[in-house]
Amino acid sequence: MAAPRPAAVPADLPVHHSWIANRPVEGRAGLRPVFNPATGTAFARTSLLDAEQAGSAIAAARAAFPAWSARSFRERARVLLAAREAVLRRADEIARLIEQEQGKPAVEAHLVEVFPALEALKHLALHAEEILSERAAEPQVLLFAHKDSRVRFEPYGVVLAITPWNYPFAISLSGVATALAAGNTVVLKPAPATTLVGLRIAEVFREAGVPDGAVNVVAVDDALAPALGEDPRVDKIVFTGSPATGRRVMVSAAKNLTPVVLELGGKDPAVVCRDADLDRAARGIVWGAFVNAGQTCASVERVYVEAEVADAFLQRVVELTRSLRVGDPASGDVELGALTLERQRRIVEEHVADAVARGARVLTGGRPGAGPGWFYPPTVIADVNHTMRVMREETFGPVLPVMVVPSLDEGIRLANDSEYGLTASGWTRDPATARRLERELQAGVVTINDCVYTFGEPSAPWGGFKRSGLGRAHGPAGLREMAQVKYVARDEGSAPMLWWFPYGDELRRLVPATARAVHARSLWARLASAARLLGSSRFRRRVRLASILKRADRLF
Ligand code: ADP
């Protein structure tokens, strides 16, 4: 974002504060203006916490942890469902705030932020218990067969969620809700550009009756963010953002070996096969490239289309792209609002300029909008190749480069020629080709004949291969990231275990004989060894034969 000019920020704008333990806390580290990207003007200010105040948010989360984690799944689900009601009640207000602060049209904010948040809350309320409840883990080793063994999933403690500005509500809310569902308490640090939306999340949970300290939302300067990650009272960090910042978060986390989940960028390819339904492919890819003005980690950032259908496909893509309306969503019906950050628009301009300098052709768009606001038109470029930044680096804007490929083999090879692997889509009507794409595209999510949407499916694991991240959000895998695994084993017998001291000659014979009795290939060798075991008084005294016989099937 351009350095805000103080003169451009009226002193009488409303000031919003962080939420710690369900109370607004005025920050002592100055005020930060909140801009509307469509007009470039400030409409509010946020007070920023200093380091001590930010630390008190972590302390509040710590203090709330014992009671929150002791609640049953059902009790926690009640809060999540109440939050769902609060989000639904405030849906319009939230969507309008997203439009004003982040830039996407309110209708899209309803679709891609509010709706997924509601689905996440419902899913977690209904399924967290089945995913995280204690379960039996029957021992496989016969000598342990009598033990009552189970796996438990226990919350970490305080989860620090650091979230980005592109989906300030959906990503932040589902991160907070997943942590809460597993029994953690949370400190949410929203992105500077979209802090107001983050603060709304504290209000939603307060309205839902979350206990004081279980959800805290802190407005801090980015310079303070590393200190949060280095705080030893933070037990897990969930970060969504750019790979460069993700690396910095990992460095902060390394100080205390704090575990991290990193949801990073993507350079998500779409492979359009010669047998694709071209109209569907063009419509889907145009939406996937330009939803949220292309500021989506899963947006389609590269297309590989087979030569036979390239002209027809490109023509349809260009036609659809030209029909999209761009403008201030507050004053008209548009598909694309402004980009959220001026610096993001500069990256988009650089990528397009670099591609053109290397021989790419702009088929539509390609020039930033004039006037106030950080607009960039939806842009389609052809004649691209992998020497261009637009094909290798995350553009994170409304640019769709299309590359013609001679074969599906080449399309898949180029789709995988990237350091990223978040999502990928394949467009085909042939089930065999679909299966091949599902297997061979290197990404955490592969969709056939659709794209982007799986962030809105709460049961679908979300996360990337390669440099796109570490760990998963959403779905059972995402919930388990919020819990540490504990194995518990209970032995109610009184006899010492076979191998406990003292060792001695008898045990020296018994151990290899036990191994042979279980693992020898020949039945005769097994029986001979078993007979030897039964002849040993140490074995008879120390091993629970009844439990072994109950699991005798394990012998084979
Ligand atoms: P972008 O570069 O697109 O703004 P980032 O990945 O930098 O996206 O931002 C994602 C989140 O990470 C934001 O909430 C941002 O404030 C935060 N952040 C920025 N720098 C750091 C840091 N050094 N440590 C932790 N979080 C950071």
Side-chain angles (χ1 to χ4, degrees), residues 162-165 189-192 222 225-226 239-242 245 248-249 252 341 343-344:
I162 301 177
T163 55
W165 45 263
K189 194 216 82 62
D222 265 357
F239 170 83
T240 308
S242 62
T245 310
R248 283 198 285 274
V249 168
S252 306
L341 302 175
R343 77 174 140 84
Q344 195 57 43

Side-chain angles (χ1 to χ4, degrees), residues 227-244:
L228 293 176
E230 287 175 16
D231 194 305
R233 295 167 297 177
V234 167
D235 300 292
K236 180 119 191 185
I237 303 175
V238 187
F239 170 83
T240 308
S242 62

Side-chain angles (χ1 to χ4, degrees), residues 472-495:
R472 290 292 180 274
H474 294 192
L479 253 174
R480 296 227 170 99
E481 295 278 5
M482 293 294 104
Q484 28 197 0
V485 180
K486 180 187 273 182
Y487 183 73
V488 294
R490 190 182 302 173
D491 194 326
E492 285 170 343
S494 55

